Amino acid sequence: MSTESSPWEEHFGSRENQSVAAQLGMWIFLGSEVLLFTNLFVGYAVYRYYYPEVFVEASKHLKAEWAMVQTLLLVTSSLFVVLAVHYIRQGRQLLTVLVLVLAIGMGLGFLGIKGWEYWEHWKEGALPGEYYRLEELPERGGSLFFTLYFLLTGLHAIHMLVALGLLGWLVWGALSGKYTAEYHIPVEVGGLYWHLVDIFWLFIFPLLYLVE
Amino acid sequence: MTEEKKKSAWGYVVVWGVLAVLTVATWVLGTKIKLGVFSLPVALGIAVVKTVLVAMFFMHLVEQRGARRVVLPVSAVFLCLLLGVTLLEAMTRIRMARPDGIEEELEPKRPASTRTAPPGSGAKRLMGN
């Protein structure tokens, strides 16, 4: 039954097996992503333990209310992505495209706010490592906070860019009618990736912006 | 696919509503109401609750079976192990071995005029630390 145009592969034995294998593969990849971010979170925990006061002061240079807006954007985009999975399971391709485009718009809004924040840090001199020029904060701890800030948010932003590309590719696939109620494995696993990027931000938000 | 047709999307909207409320609550607790020593545990607790909601419903972990269901919790266990053991090591170091304790401890307790600079203190160190 496997022709060149069919997305189903015979060596999986059954369609159910192919779907399960794709999802398991994605989950294992997500597990490796968790361990990648874990290293940065551990570094953050250790240096927050050593420089608690400096971290509180440094955190006041970040824009907590905009970070809340960013969190709301990501959480809402996650809703749209799960709706895309919901609709494509029912075979409603146009609705799937619509909610995916909405999710992409929110992701772009998130990155726009992030870019503006980076620009503000640049002007202020709140930069990582040896580029740190902030006078009000001690260099010890202060430069470490901003190093961790740029590493965590930067790695997250790179993941966002990849995830946005993935969603764009899903929009293209849904528009060209590749996904149906029977075959929608890419929408399911692509959605999983978007949600994981969302989850990372759920921790970055309180850890960096709401230090007290 | 017949049972999928009947399934409503409202469940997802409810989960989204809870996530949005928790997000605003995190912000209010973190900026307006000062919780002191409880702020970090409370903020992380809310983040964990939100993660469980996203993983269970948005990532469809509730409907997964077998290995697909275990991968994420297992990676969370490894996260806790790495975090816990590293923090335990950092918290039980003697002061001199801590990055904020080096200079103070290496300074000899004698008048400044007779002091020599501790080895390596003149060199510019990476990350300004």
Coordinates of all heavy atoms in Angstrom, one line a residue, chain A residues 20 23-24 27-28 30-31 38-39 42 45-46 48-51 64-65 68 71-72 75-76 78-79 82-83 85-86 89-90 130 139-140 143-144 181 192 195 199 202-203 206-207 210 212, chain B residues 1 4-5 7 9 12 16 19 23 26-27 29-31 34-36 39-40 43 47 50-51 58-61 63-64 67-68 71-72 79 82-83 86 90-91 93 98-100 103 127-129:
Chain A
V20 N 2.7 5.5 17.2 CA 3.3 5.3 18.5 C 4.8 5.5 18.5 O 5.4 6.2 19.3 CB 3.0 3.9 19.0 CG1 3.9 3.5 20.2 CG2 1.5 3.8 19.4
Q23 N 5.6 9.3 18.2 CA 5.4 10.0 19.5 C 6.5 9.6 20.5 O 7.0 10.5 21.2 CB 4.0 9.6 20.0 CG 2.9 10.0 19.0 CD 1.7 10.6 19.7 OE1 1.8 10.9 20.9 NE2 0.7 10.9 19.0
L24 N 6.8 8.3 20.5 CA 7.9 7.9 21.5 C 9.2 8.6 21.2 O 9.9 9.1 22.1 CB 8.1 6.4 21.5 CG 9.1 5.9 22.5 CD1 8.8 6.3 23.9 CD2 9.3 4.4 22.4
W27 N 9.0 12.1 22.4 CA 9.1 12.2 23.8 C 10.5 12.1 24.3 O 11.0 12.8 25.2 CB 8.2 11.2 24.5 CG 6.8 11.6 24.6 CD1 5.7 11.2 23.9 CD2 6.3 12.7 25.4 NE1 4.6 11.8 24.2 CE2 4.9 12.8 25.2 CE3 6.8 13.5 26.4 CZ2 4.0 13.7 25.8 CZ3 6.0 14.4 27.0 CH2 4.6 14.5 26.7
I28 N 11.3 11.1 23.7 CA 12.7 10.9 24.1 C 13.5 12.2 23.7 O 14.3 12.7 24.5 CB 13.3 9.7 23.3 CG1 12.6 8.4 23.9 CG2 14.8 9.6 23.5 CD1 13.0 7.2 23.2
L30 N 12.3 15.2 23.7 CA 11.9 16.2 24.6 C 12.6 16.0 26.0 O 13.1 16.9 26.6 CB 10.4 16.2 24.9 CG 9.5 16.6 23.7 CD1 8.1 16.7 24.1 CD2 9.9 17.9 23.1
G31 N 12.8 14.7 26.3 CA 13.5 14.4 27.6 C 15.0 14.9 27.5 O 15.5 15.5 28.4
T38 N 18.2 21.8 32.0 CA 18.5 21.5 33.4 C 19.9 22.1 33.8 O 20.0 22.7 34.9 CB 18.5 20.0 33.6 OG1 17.2 19.5 33.4 CG2 18.9 19.7 35.1
N39 N 20.9 22.0 32.9 CA 22.2 22.4 33.3 C 22.2 23.9 33.6 O 22.8 24.4 34.5 CB 23.2 22.2 32.1 CG 23.4 20.7 31.9 OD1 24.0 20.1 32.8 ND2 22.8 20.1 30.9
V42 N 20.5 24.5 36.9 CA 21.4 24.1 38.0 C 22.4 25.2 38.3 O 22.6 25.7 39.4 CB 22.1 22.8 37.8 CG1 23.2 22.5 38.8 CG2 21.0 21.6 37.8
A45 N 20.7 28.0 40.1 CA 20.4 27.7 41.5 C 21.7 27.9 42.3 O 21.6 28.5 43.4 CB 19.9 26.2 41.6
V46 N 22.8 27.4 41.8 CA 24.0 27.5 42.6 C 24.4 29.0 42.8 O 24.7 29.4 43.9 CB 25.2 26.7 41.9 CG1 26.5 27.1 42.5 CG2 24.9 25.2 41.9
R48 N 22.5 31.6 42.5 CA 21.5 32.3 43.3 C 21.7 32.0 44.8 O 21.5 32.9 45.7 CB 20.1 31.9 42.9 CG 19.0 32.5 43.8 CD 17.6 32.3 43.3 NE 16.6 32.9 44.2 CZ 15.4 33.1 43.9 NH1 15.0 32.8 42.7 NH2 14.6 33.6 44.8
Y49 N 22.2 30.8 45.1 CA 22.5 30.5 46.5 C 23.7 31.3 47.0 O 23.8 31.8 48.1 CB 22.8 29.0 46.6 CG 23.3 28.6 48.0 CD1 22.5 28.6 49.1 CD2 24.7 28.2 48.2 CE1 23.0 28.3 50.3 CE2 25.2 27.9 49.4 CZ 24.3 27.9 50.5 OH 24.8 27.6 51.7
Y50 N 24.7 31.5 46.1 CA 25.9 32.3 46.5 C 25.7 33.8 46.6 O 26.2 34.5 47.4 CB 27.1 32.0 45.6 CG 27.7 30.6 45.8 CD1 28.1 29.9 44.7 CD2 27.9 30.2 47.1 CE1 28.7 28.6 44.9 CE2 28.4 28.9 47.3 CZ 28.9 28.2 46.2 OH 29.4 26.9 46.4
Y51 N 24.9 34.3 45.7 CA 24.6 35.8 45.6 C 23.2 36.1 45.7 O 22.6 36.7 44.8 CB 25.2 36.3 44.3 CG 26.6 36.0 44.1 CD1 27.0 35.0 43.2 CD2 27.7 36.7 44.7 CE1 28.3 34.7 42.9 CE2 29.0 36.4 44.5 CZ 29.3 35.4 43.6 OH 30.6 35.1 43.4
A64 N 9.2 42.8 34.8 CA 8.3 41.6 35.2 C 7.0 41.7 34.6 O 6.4 40.6 34.2 CB 8.2 41.6 36.8
E65 N 6.4 42.9 34.4 CA 5.0 42.9 33.9 C 5.0 42.5 32.4 O 4.0 41.9 32.0 CB 4.4 44.3 34.1 CG 5.1 45.5 33.4 CD 6.3 46.0 34.3 OE1 6.7 45.3 35.2 OE2 6.8 47.0 33.9
M68 N 5.1 38.8 32.3 CA 3.8 38.2 32.5 C 3.0 38.2 31.2 O 2.4 37.2 30.9 CB 3.0 39.0 33.6 CG 1.7 38.4 33.9 SD 0.7 39.4 34.9 CE 0.4 40.8 33.9
T71 N 4.3 35.5 29.2 CA 3.8 34.2 29.6 C 2.4 34.0 29.1 O 2.0 32.9 28.7 CB 3.8 34.1 31.2 OG1 5.1 34.7 31.6 CG2 3.7 32.7 31.7
L72 N 1.5 35.0 29.2 CA 0.1 34.9 28.8 C 0.1 34.6 27.3 O -0.7 33.7 26.8 CB -0.6 36.1 29.1 CG -1.0 36.3 30.6 CD1 -1.6 37.7 30.8 CD2 -1.9 35.2 31.1
V75 N 1.1 30.9 26.8 CA 0.1 30.0 27.3 C -1.1 30.0 26.3 O -1.6 28.9 26.0 CB -0.4 30.4 28.7 CG1 -1.7 29.8 29.1 CG2 0.7 30.1 29.8
T76 N -1.5 31.1 25.8 CA -2.6 31.2 24.8 C -2.2 30.5 23.5 O -3.0 29.8 22.9 CB -3.0 32.7 24.6 OG1 -3.0 33.3 25.9 CG2 -4.3 32.8 23.9
S78 N -0.2 28.1 23.3 CA -0.3 26.6 23.5 C -1.7 26.1 23.4 O -1.9 25.0 22.9 CB 0.2 26.3 24.9 OG 1.5 25.8 24.9
L79 N -2.7 27.0 23.8 CA -4.1 26.6 23.6 C -4.4 26.4 22.2 O -5.0 25.5 21.7 CB -5.0 27.7 24.3 CG -6.5 27.5 24.0 CD1 -7.1 26.3 24.7 CD2 -7.3 28.7 24.3
V82 N -2.9 23.2 20.8 CA -3.7 22.0 21.1 C -5.0 22.0 20.4 O -5.5 20.9 20.0 CB -3.8 21.9 22.7 CG1 -5.0 22.8 23.2 CG2 -4.1 20.5 23.1
L83 N -5.6 23.1 20.1 CA -6.8 23.2 19.3 C -6.5 22.7 17.9 O -7.3 22.0 17.2 CB -7.4 24.6 19.3 CG -8.1 25.0 20.6 CD1 -8.6 26.5 20.4 CD2 -9.2 24.1 20.9
V85 N -4.3 20.4 17.0 CA -4.3 19.0 17.1 C -5.8 18.4 17.2 O -6.2 17.5 16.5 CB -3.5 18.5 18.3 CG1 -3.6 17.0 18.5 CG2 -2.1 18.9 18.2
H86 N -6.6 19.1 18.0 CA -8.0 18.7 18.2 C -8.7 18.8 16.9 O -9.4 17.8 16.5 CB -8.6 19.7 19.2 CG -10.1 19.5 19.5 ND1 -10.5 18.4 20.2 CD2 -11.2 20.1 19.0 CE1 -11.8 18.4 20.3 NE2 -12.3 19.5 19.5
R89 N -7.5 16.2 14.2 CA -8.0 14.8 14.5 C -9.4 14.6 14.0 O -9.9 13.5 13.7 CB -8.0 14.6 16.0 CG -6.7 14.3 16.6 CD -6.7 14.1 18.1 NE -5.5 13.8 18.7 CZ -5.3 13.6 20.0 NH1 -6.3 13.7 20.8 NH2 -4.1 13.2 20.4
Q90 N -10.2 15.8 13.8 CA -11.5 15.7 13.3 C -11.5 15.9 11.8 O -12.5 15.9 11.1 CB -12.4 16.7 13.9 CG -12.5 16.5 15.4 CD -13.4 17.6 16.1 OE1 -13.6 18.7 15.5 NE2 -13.8 17.4 17.3
E130 N 32.1 39.8 30.4 CA 33.0 40.9 30.4 C 32.4 42.2 29.8 O 33.0 43.3 29.9 CB 34.3 40.6 29.7 CG 34.1 40.2 28.3 CD 35.5 39.9 27.6 OE1 36.3 40.8 27.7 OE2 35.7 38.7 27.2
E139 N 29.8 43.8 40.5 CA 30.1 43.0 39.3 C 30.0 41.5 39.6 O 29.5 40.7 38.8 CB 31.5 43.3 38.8 CG 31.7 42.7 37.4 CD 33.1 43.1 36.8 OE1 33.6 44.2 37.3 OE2 33.6 42.4 36.0
R140 N 30.4 41.2 40.8 CA 30.3 39.8 41.3 C 28.8 39.5 41.5 O 28.2 40.2 42.2 CB 31.0 39.6 42.6 CG 32.4 39.3 42.5 CD 32.9 39.0 43.9 NE 34.2 38.5 43.7 CZ 34.8 37.7 44.6 NH1 34.2 37.3 45.7 NH2 36.0 37.3 44.4
S143 N 27.1 40.3 37.1 CA 27.4 39.9 35.8 C 27.0 38.4 35.6 O 26.6 38.0 34.5 CB 28.9 40.1 35.5 OG 29.6 38.9 35.8
L144 N 27.0 37.6 36.7 CA 26.6 36.2 36.6 C 25.1 36.1 36.3 O 24.7 35.3 35.6 CB 27.0 35.5 37.9 CG 28.3 34.8 37.9 CD1 28.6 34.3 39.3 CD2 28.2 33.6 36.9
A181 N -7.9 13.5 9.1 CA -8.3 12.9 10.3 C -7.5 11.6 10.6 O -7.2 11.2 11.7 CB -9.8 12.6 10.3
L192 N 3.8 18.9 20.4 CA 4.5 18.6 21.7 C 5.7 19.5 21.9 O 6.0 19.9 23.0 CB 5.0 17.1 21.6 CG 3.9 16.0 21.7 CD1 4.5 14.6 21.6 CD2 3.2 16.1 23.1
H195 N 4.7 22.9 23.1 CA 4.3 22.9 24.5 C 5.5 22.8 25.4 O 5.6 23.5 26.5 CB 3.4 21.8 24.8 CG 2.1 21.9 24.1 ND1 1.3 23.0 24.1 CD2 1.4 21.0 23.3 CE1 0.2 22.8 23.4 NE2 0.3 21.6 22.8
I199 N 6.7 25.2 28.4 CA 7.0 24.8 29.8 C 8.3 25.4 30.3 O 8.4 25.9 31.5 CB 7.0 23.3 29.9 CG1 5.6 22.7 29.8 CG2 7.7 22.8 31.2 CD1 5.5 21.2 29.8
L202 N 7.7 28.8 31.6 CA 6.9 28.8 32.8 C 7.9 28.8 34.0 O 7.6 29.4 35.1 CB 6.0 27.6 32.9 CG 4.9 27.5 31.9 CD1 4.0 26.3 32.2 CD2 4.0 28.8 32.0
F203 N 9.1 28.2 33.9 CA 10.1 28.3 35.0 C 11.0 29.5 34.9 O 11.4 30.1 35.9 CB 10.9 27.0 35.0 CG 10.1 25.8 35.5 CD1 9.4 25.0 34.7 CD2 10.0 25.6 36.9 CE1 8.6 23.9 35.2 CE2 9.3 24.5 37.4 CZ 8.6 23.7 36.5
P206 N 9.3 33.0 36.7 CA 9.5 33.3 38.1 C 10.9 33.3 38.5 O 11.3 34.2 39.4 CB 8.7 32.2 38.8 CG 8.6 31.1 37.9 CD 8.6 31.7 36.5
L207 N 11.8 32.5 37.9 CA 13.2 32.4 38.4 C 13.9 33.7 38.1 O 14.7 34.1 39.0 CB 13.9 31.2 37.8 CG 13.4 29.8 38.4 CD1 14.2 28.7 37.7 CD2 13.7 29.7 39.9
L210 N 11.0 37.3 38.9 CA 10.3 37.5 40.2 C 11.2 37.1 41.4 O 10.7 36.5 42.3 CB 9.0 36.7 40.2 CG 8.0 37.0 39.1 CD1 6.9 36.1 39.1 CD2 7.6 38.5 39.1
E212 N 12.9 37.6 44.8 CA 12.4 38.4 45.9 C 13.4 38.3 47.0 O 13.8 37.2 47.4 CB 11.0 38.0 46.3 CG 10.4 39.0 47.2 CD 9.0 38.5 47.6 OE1 8.2 38.3 46.7 OE2 8.8 38.3 48.8
Chain B
M1 N -12.8 7.4 14.3 CA -12.7 8.9 14.5 C -14.1 9.4 15.0 O -14.3 10.6 15.2 CB -12.4 9.6 13.2 CG -11.0 9.4 12.8 SD -9.8 10.0 14.0 CE -8.6 8.6 14.0
E4 N -14.0 11.0 18.3 CA -13.3 12.3 18.2 C -14.2 13.4 17.8 O -14.1 14.6 18.3 CB -12.1 12.2 17.3 CG -10.9 11.5 17.8 CD -10.2 12.3 19.0 OE1 -10.5 13.5 19.1 OE2 -9.5 11.7 19.8
K5 N -15.1 13.1 16.9 CA -16.1 14.1 16.4 C -16.9 14.7 17.5 O -17.2 15.9 17.6 CB -17.0 13.5 15.4 CG -16.4 13.4 14.0 CD -17.0 14.4 13.1 CE -16.6 14.2 11.6 NZ -15.3 14.8 11.3
K7 N -16.1 14.9 20.7 CA -15.3 15.5 21.8 C -15.3 17.0 21.6 O -15.0 17.5 20.5 CB -13.8 15.0 21.8 CG -13.2 15.0 23.1 CD -11.8 14.4 23.0 CE -10.9 15.1 23.9 NZ -9.5 14.9 23.6
A9 N -14.0 21.0 22.5 CA -12.7 21.7 22.8 C -12.8 22.5 24.0 O -11.8 23.1 24.4 CB -12.3 22.5 21.6
Y12 N -10.1 22.2 26.9 CA -8.8 22.8 26.7 C -8.9 24.3 27.1 O -8.0 24.9 27.7 CB -8.4 22.7 25.2 CG -8.1 21.3 24.7 CD1 -8.7 20.9 23.6 CD2 -7.3 20.5 25.4 CE1 -8.5 19.6 23.1 CE2 -7.0 19.2 25.0 CZ -7.6 18.7 23.9 OH -7.4 17.5 23.4
W16 N -6.7 26.3 29.8 CA -6.1 27.6 29.5 C -6.5 28.7 30.5 O -5.6 29.5 30.9 CB -6.5 28.0 28.1 CG -6.1 29.4 27.8 CD1 -4.9 29.9 27.4 CD2 -7.0 30.6 27.8 NE1 -4.9 31.2 27.2 CE2 -6.2 31.7 27.5 CE3 -8.3 30.8 28.1 CZ2 -6.7 33.0 27.4 CZ3 -8.8 32.1 28.1 CH2 -8.0 33.1 27.7
L19 N -4.5 28.2 33.6 CA -3.1 28.6 33.4 C -3.0 30.1 33.4 O -2.0 30.7 34.0 CB -2.6 28.1 32.0 CG -2.3 26.6 31.9 CD1 -2.1 26.2 30.5 CD2 -1.2 26.2 32.8
T23 N -0.8 32.3 36.0 CA 0.2 33.2 35.6 C 0.1 34.6 36.2 O 1.1 35.1 36.8 CB 0.1 33.4 34.0 OG1 0.3 32.1 33.4 CG2 1.2 34.3 33.5
T26 N 1.1 34.3 39.9 CA 2.5 34.3 40.1 C 3.1 35.7 40.1 O 3.9 36.1 40.9 CB 3.2 33.5 38.9 OG1 2.5 32.3 38.7 CG2 4.6 33.2 39.3
W27 N 2.6 36.5 39.1 CA 3.1 37.9 39.0 C 2.7 38.7 40.2 O 3.6 39.5 40.8 CB 2.6 38.5 37.7 CG 3.0 39.9 37.5 CD1 4.2 40.4 37.2 CD2 2.2 41.1 37.7 NE1 4.2 41.7 37.1 CE2 3.0 42.2 37.4 CE3 0.8 41.3 38.0 CZ2 2.5 43.5 37.5 CZ3 0.4 42.6 38.1 CH2 1.2 43.7 37.8
L29 N 1.9 37.7 43.3 CA 2.6 37.2 44.5 C 4.1 37.6 44.4 O 4.7 37.9 45.4 CB 2.5 35.7 44.5 CG 1.2 35.1 44.9 CD1 1.2 33.6 44.8 CD2 0.8 35.5 46.4
G30 N 4.7 37.7 43.2 CA 6.1 38.0 43.1 C 6.4 39.4 43.1 O 7.5 39.8 43.5
T31 N 5.5 40.3 42.8 CA 5.8 41.7 42.7 C 5.0 42.6 43.7 O 5.6 43.5 44.3 CB 5.5 42.3 41.3 OG1 4.2 42.0 41.0 CG2 6.5 41.7 40.3
K34 N 4.8 40.6 49.2 CA 6.1 40.0 49.5 C 6.0 38.8 50.4 O 5.5 38.9 51.5 CB 7.0 41.1 50.1 CG 7.1 42.4 49.3 CD 8.0 42.1 48.1 CE 8.1 43.3 47.2 NZ 8.7 42.9 45.9
L35 N 6.4 37.7 49.9 CA 6.3 36.4 50.7 C 7.6 36.1 51.4 O 7.6 35.1 52.1 CB 5.8 35.3 49.8 CG 4.4 35.4 49.2 CD1 4.2 34.3 48.2 CD2 3.4 35.3 50.3
G36 N 8.6 36.8 51.2 CA 9.9 36.6 51.8 C 10.4 35.2 51.5 O 10.6 34.9 50.3
S39 N 8.7 32.9 48.9 CA 8.4 33.3 47.5 C 8.9 32.3 46.5 O 8.2 32.0 45.5 CB 9.0 34.7 47.3 OG 10.4 34.6 47.3
L40 N 10.1 31.8 46.7 CA 10.7 30.8 45.8 C 9.9 29.5 45.8 O 9.5 29.1 44.7 CB 12.2 30.6 46.1 CG 12.9 29.7 45.1 CD1 12.9 30.4 43.7 CD2 14.3 29.5 45.5
A43 N 6.5 30.3 44.1 CA 6.6 30.5 42.6 C 6.9 29.2 41.9 O 6.3 28.9 40.9 CB 7.7 31.5 42.4
A47 N 4.6 27.0 39.2 CA 5.2 26.6 37.9 C 5.0 25.1 37.7 O 4.7 24.7 36.6 CB 6.7 27.0 37.8
K50 N 1.4 24.4 36.8 CA 1.2 24.7 35.4 C 1.8 23.7 34.4 O 1.2 23.4 33.4 CB 1.8 26.1 35.1 CG 0.9 27.3 35.7 CD 1.7 28.5 35.9 CE 1.8 29.3 34.6 NZ 2.6 30.6 34.9
T51 N 3.0 23.3 34.8 CA 3.7 22.3 33.9 C 2.9 21.0 33.9 O 2.7 20.4 32.8 CB 5.1 22.0 34.5 OG1 5.8 23.2 34.5 CG2 5.8 20.9 33.6
F58 N -2.5 19.5 27.4 CA -2.1 20.0 26.1 C -1.2 19.1 25.4 O -1.2 19.0 24.2 CB -1.4 21.4 26.3 CG -2.3 22.5 26.6 CD1 -3.7 22.3 26.8 CD2 -1.8 23.8 26.7 CE1 -4.5 23.3 27.1 CE2 -2.7 24.9 27.0 CZ -4.0 24.6 27.2
M59 N -0.3 18.4 26.2 CA 0.6 17.4 25.5 C 0.0 16.0 25.5 O 0.7 15.0 25.2 CB 1.9 17.4 26.2 CG 2.7 18.7 26.1 SD 4.1 18.8 27.1 CE 5.4 18.3 26.0
H60 N -1.3 15.9 25.9 CA -2.0 14.6 25.9 C -1.4 13.5 26.6 O -1.5 12.3 26.2 CB -2.2 14.2 24.4 CG -2.9 15.2 23.6 ND1 -2.3 16.0 22.6 CD2 -4.2 15.7 23.6 CE1 -3.1 16.8 22.1 NE2 -4.3 16.7 22.7
L61 N -0.7 13.8 27.7 CA 0.0 12.7 28.5 C -1.1 11.8 29.1 O -0.8 10.6 29.3 CB 0.9 13.4 29.6 CG 2.2 12.6 29.9 CD1 3.0 12.5 28.6 CD2 3.0 13.4 30.9
E63 N -3.6 10.6 27.8 CA -4.1 9.5 26.9 C -2.9 8.6 26.4 O -3.1 7.7 25.6 CB -4.8 10.1 25.7 CG -4.0 11.0 24.8 CD -4.9 11.8 23.8 OE1 -5.8 12.5 24.3 OE2 -4.6 11.7 22.6
Q64 N -1.7 8.9 26.8 CA -0.5 8.1 26.4 C -0.4 6.8 27.2 O -0.9 6.8 28.3 CB 0.7 8.9 26.5 CG 0.8 10.2 25.7 CD 0.9 9.9 24.2 OE1 1.1 8.8 23.8 NE2 0.7 11.0 23.4
A67 N 5.8 3.6 27.5 CA 7.1 4.4 27.5 C 6.8 5.8 27.2 O 7.5 6.7 27.8 CB 8.1 3.8 26.5
R68 N 5.8 6.2 26.4 CA 5.6 7.6 26.0 C 5.2 8.4 27.3 O 5.4 9.5 27.4 CB 4.5 7.6 25.0 CG 4.9 7.3 23.6 CD 3.7 7.1 22.7 NE 2.9 6.0 23.1 CZ 1.7 5.8 22.7 NH1 1.1 6.6 22.0 NH2 1.0 4.7 23.1
V71 N 8.7 9.0 29.8 CA 9.9 9.8 29.5 C 10.0 11.1 30.2 O 11.0 11.4 30.8 CB 9.9 10.0 28.0 CG1 11.1 10.9 27.6 CG2 10.1 8.6 27.2
L72 N 8.9 11.9 30.2 CA 8.9 13.2 30.8 C 9.1 13.2 32.3 O 10.0 13.8 32.8 CB 7.7 14.0 30.4 CG 7.9 15.5 30.5 CD1 9.0 16.0 29.6 CD2 6.6 16.3 30.2
L79 N 16.4 15.7 36.5 CA 16.6 17.1 36.8 C 16.8 17.3 38.3 O 17.7 18.0 38.7 CB 15.4 17.9 36.3 CG 15.4 19.4 36.2 CD1 14.3 19.9 35.2 CD2 15.2 20.1 37.5
L82 N 20.2 16.0 39.6 CA 21.3 16.9 39.2 C 21.3 18.2 40.1 O 22.3 18.6 40.6 CB 21.2 17.2 37.7 CG 22.4 17.9 37.1 CD1 23.7 17.1 37.4 CD2 22.2 18.1 35.6
L83 N 20.1 18.7 40.2 CA 19.9 20.0 40.9 C 20.2 19.7 42.4 O 20.9 20.5 43.0 CB 18.5 20.5 40.7 CG 18.1 21.8 41.3 CD1 18.9 22.9 40.5 CD2 16.6 22.1 41.2
T86 N 24.0 18.8 43.2 CA 24.8 20.0 43.0 C 24.6 21.0 44.1 O 25.6 21.6 44.6 CB 24.5 20.6 41.6 OG1 24.5 19.6 40.6 CG2 25.6 21.6 41.2
A90 N 27.2 22.5 46.8 CA 27.5 24.0 46.9 C 27.3 24.5 48.3 O 28.0 25.3 48.9 CB 26.7 24.7 45.9
M91 N 26.2 24.0 49.0 CA 25.8 24.5 50.3 C 26.7 24.0 51.4 O 26.7 24.6 52.5 CB 24.3 24.0 50.6 CG 23.3 24.8 49.8 SD 21.7 24.1 50.0 CE 20.7 25.4 49.3
R93 N 30.0 23.5 51.0 CA 31.4 23.9 50.9 C 31.9 24.7 52.0 O 31.1 25.5 52.6 CB 31.6 24.7 49.6 CG 31.8 23.8 48.4 CD 32.1 24.7 47.2 NE 31.6 24.2 46.0 CZ 31.7 24.8 44.8 NH1 32.2 26.1 44.8 NH2 31.3 24.3 43.7
R98 N 34.2 28.9 48.2 CA 33.1 29.5 47.5 C 33.6 30.7 46.7 O 34.5 31.4 47.2 CB 32.0 29.9 48.5 CG 31.4 28.7 49.2 CD 30.5 29.2 50.4 NE 29.7 30.3 50.0 CZ 28.6 30.6 50.7 NH1 28.3 29.9 51.8 NH2 27.9 31.6 50.4
P99 N 32.9 31.0 45.6 CA 33.4 32.1 44.8 C 33.4 33.4 45.5 O 34.2 34.3 45.3 CB 32.5 32.1 43.6 CG 31.4 31.2 43.9 CD 31.9 30.2 44.9
D100 N 32.5 33.6 46.5 CA 32.4 34.9 47.2 C 33.3 34.9 48.4 O 33.4 35.8 49.2 CB 31.0 35.2 47.6 CG 30.4 34.1 48.4 OD1 30.9 33.0 48.4 OD2 29.3 34.3 49.0
E103 N 38.6 35.8 48.3 CA 39.5 36.9 48.6 C 39.7 37.1 50.1 O 40.8 37.3 50.6 CB 39.0 38.2 47.9 CG 39.6 38.4 46.5 CD 39.0 39.4 45.7 OE1 38.4 40.4 46.3 OE2 38.9 39.2 44.5
M127 N 34.1 35.9 33.1 CA 32.7 36.2 33.7 C 32.8 37.2 34.8 O 31.9 37.2 35.7 CB 32.0 34.9 34.1 CG 32.1 33.8 33.1 SD 30.5 33.0 32.8 CE 30.0 32.4 34.4
G128 N 33.9 37.9 34.9 CA 34.0 39.0 35.9 C 33.8 38.5 37.3 O 33.3 39.2 38.2
N129 N 34.2 37.3 37.6 CA 33.9 36.8 38.9 C 35.1 36.4 39.7 O 35.6 35.3 39.6 CB 32.9 35.6 38.7 CG 32.6 34.9 40.0 OD1 32.5 35.5 41.1 ND2 32.5 33.6 39.9

